[in-house]
Amino acid sequence: MTEPRLDSQELREFETQVAEAFNHGRIRAPVHLYDGNEDQILKVFQNVNEDDWIFCSWRSHYQCLLKGVPRDLVFAEILAGNSISLTFPKYRVYSSAIVGGVLPIATGVALGLKKQGKSEHVWCFVGDMTSETGIAHESIKYAETFDLPITFVVEDNNHSVVTNTRETWGLRTLTYELANESSKVIYYSYSSRYPHAGAGQRINF
Amino acid sequence: MDLVGLNQDSVFIGQAVGYPGTAMFNTLKNVPAEKRMEFPVAEELQLGVSLGLCLAGKNVVSIYPRWNFLLLAMNQLVNHVDKRAELFRASTKSRALIIRTSVGSERPLHPKSQHVGDFSYPVALMCPNVKVVKLENPSEIVHAYEEALRASDRAATILVEYGDFYNEK
């Protein structure tokens, strides 16, 4: 277990810095910002070890920072336009900007680790709409039945871009919302001050 | 298959790799059982898992009995396998991903249009970092696998077999 490298306030300050850079037209690519989930994600990272693997979607700044990627390096990659698919192999952080794209890949890494008898663990972060996709259900089912060393973290902000996940699936609760502690799934919900993409201002480049 | 099976870090994944009774199994029967991983019918999951196994250090042969079935894994193939160098950088460069597929035989029984698709050309266009190799002669097969195993400059290799050639060549 590693000590958190940043606290809630520092995480929020980083995203504020990115938001300001975006709103001033310094980033010529999409950014997807976190906000309001700092305590929950810090709690998850209390169990993440240095050798563990992290898989993310297009929203991954907090995971990069908490896995130990230097703040300046993360920011430089964001300025370079790589926010939606940040990858830092040295720190075992990988991302994909395709919905559900990383789930089977993360599952495959976990399968490989188990076959090799390694003690490393895989952490795969997904949003609420992604958690309802077929590939999510297949990946989680396979990981659970073969007891793979992986944890899926469902981060529920209740929206996919602007679409309400529960309404469009006709669900009162998400499939993994009531995941118990013995499951391979951790669930938490949060509300963000930021929109799905960007930082809330219309930019004229 | 024996050549790849001898590779210390190799694994074969797909349907009918673990159970006898099919032509596919017959080509794998000399591969050690611990290297054959029978997988559920879940095409996209299979290819994503295959890529993940490469990340974890395995040379992977991922088997799809028909091109038409491999189409169900296109998200992983186009958006992730082909973009492997960009998404995963050096971390998977040294591990080979071989996708084995085939065009169904038409003789003596024709399985109709959903089993005889050959998408080699359009997939090669869609995946510039994946090499698509059409195995039209038995003499090409060993060399193709040798090359696919050692190629570190490509995201993956798709080896396309032709069902009718099993009987005719």
Side-chain angles (χ1 to χ4, degrees):
Chain A
M1 200 177 299
T2 53
E3 287 296 313
R5 291 172 169 81
L6 294 93
D7 60 23
S8 295
Q9 182 64 27
E10 289 168 321
L11 289 172
R12 275 192 293 273
E13 285 172 359
F14 182 86
E15 292 294 60
T16 300
Q17 186 184 2
V18 176
E20 288 174 355
F22 186 83
N23 286 341
H24 283 89
R26 293 175 60 205
I27 303 171
R28 298 292 183 109
V31 295
H32 301 271
L33 302 172
Y34 272 126
D35 175 63
N37 67 326
E38 293 80 13
D39 291 343
Q40 293 99 320
I41 200 167
L42 278 164
K43 186 177 177 186
V44 172
F45 267 83
Q46 286 177 354
N47 294 306
V48 176
N49 292 309
E50 194 170 337
D51 289 340
D52 287 353
W53 302 61
I54 305 290
F55 286 85
C56 310
S57 67
W58 45 89
R59 185 175 286 111
S60 66
H61 300 171
Y62 281 2
Q63 290 90 331
C64 296
L65 295 169
L66 293 170
K67 191 63 173 34
V69 185
R71 185 187 173 112
D72 291 348
L73 182 54
V74 179
F75 197 75
E77 284 289 312
I78 295 167
L79 284 179
N82 298 323
S83 173
I84 68 169
S85 53
L86 289 171
T87 290
F88 298 99
K90 179 181 173 185
Y91 299 90
R92 291 185 170 170
V93 178
Y94 305 97
S95 307
S96 167
I98 299 294
V99 170
V102 294
L103 279 111
I105 302 169
T107 303
V109 171
L111 178 60
L113 295 176
K114 182 168 184 177
K115 287 181 76 71
Q116 295 168 81
K118 293 185 176 177
S119 59
E120 299 150 21
H121 194 83
V122 180
W123 301 83
C124 184
F125 292 80
V126 301
D128 43 280
M129 186 67 92
T130 299
S131 75
E132 296 298 338
T133 61
I135 194 63
H137 283 241
E138 290 179 3
S139 299
I140 293 169
K141 177 165 63 177
Y142 195 84
E144 285 184 336
T145 52
F146 288 97
D147 193 24
L148 301 184
I150 185 170
T151 301
F152 299 90
V153 182
V154 178
E155 302 177 301
D156 176 14
N157 65 4
N158 201 31
H159 288 88
S160 171
V161 188
V162 295
T163 302
N164 185 296
T165 302
R166 287 169 179 77
E167 284 181 9
T168 49
W169 275 109
L171 294 168
R172 293 171 63 184
T173 56
L174 301 179
T175 302
Y176 299 105
E177 188 169 344
L178 305 177
N180 61 42
E181 291 180 5
S182 65
S183 158
K184 300 280 183 195
V185 181
I186 292 173
Y187 166 91
Y188 72 76
S189 63
Y190 70 104
S191 297
S192 174
R193 67 184 147 142
Y194 294 118
H196 165 72
Q201 290 184 23
R202 185 168 180 82
I203 314 300
N204 290 317
F205 290 103
Chain B
M1 293 307 106
D2 298 1
L3 169 82
V4 185
L6 287 171
N7 184 282
Q8 187 179 353
D9 295 320
S10 64
V11 61
F12 296 74
I13 182 170
Q15 290 87 54
V17 304
Y19 299 122
T22 68
M24 188 63 74
F25 177 85
N26 289 339
T27 67
L28 299 169
K29 60 187 178 186
N30 294 326
V31 173
E34 66 272 15
K35 294 189 174 187
R36 287 185 268 121
M37 191 181 302
E38 190 76 14
F39 209 74
V41 179
E43 290 84 357
E44 185 184 355
L45 178 67
Q46 179 182 318
L47 195 51
V49 163
S50 299
L51 183 53
L53 285 165
C54 289
L55 263 177
K58 294 288 185 185
N59 290 310
V60 180
V61 179
S62 195
I63 298 172
Y64 293 84
R66 297 285 182 276
W67 252 126
N68 299 78
F69 310 162
L70 179 54
L71 289 183
L72 291 159
M74 270 308 124
N75 173 39
Q76 285 301 317
L77 184 64
V78 175
N79 287 320
H80 297 88
V81 172
D82 187 58
K83 311 297 182 289
R84 181 175 166 180
E86 176 187 334
L87 295 174
F88 304 110
R89 303 203 180 153
S91 41
T92 57
K93 201 171 180 180
S94 61
R95 297 299 174 187
L97 174 55
I98 300 172
I99 300 165
R100 180 184 176 192
T101 192
S102 79
V103 178
S105 62
E106 299 181 12
R107 297 173 292 275
L109 303 176
H110 199 298
K112 307 303 286 185
S113 59
Q114 290 176 315
H115 282 57
V116 295
D118 184 351
F119 305 105
S120 301
Y121 181 63
V123 167
L125 285 179
M126 288 192 292
C127 302
N129 301 306
V130 173
K131 184 167 185 180
V132 182
V133 180
K134 298 169 80 164
L135 297 173
E136 295 176 324
N137 291 295
S139 61
E140 300 168 348
I141 295 172
V142 171
H143 174 69
Y145 275 94
E146 285 176 335
E147 191 178 65
L149 264 180
R150 66 171 177 258
S152 60
D153 60 343
R154 68 180 73 151
T157 305
I158 300 177
L159 298 177
V160 185
E161 301 174 9
Y162 291 84
D164 282 325
F165 295 169
Y166 273 83
N167 300 322
E168 298 167 3
K169 293 195 177 185

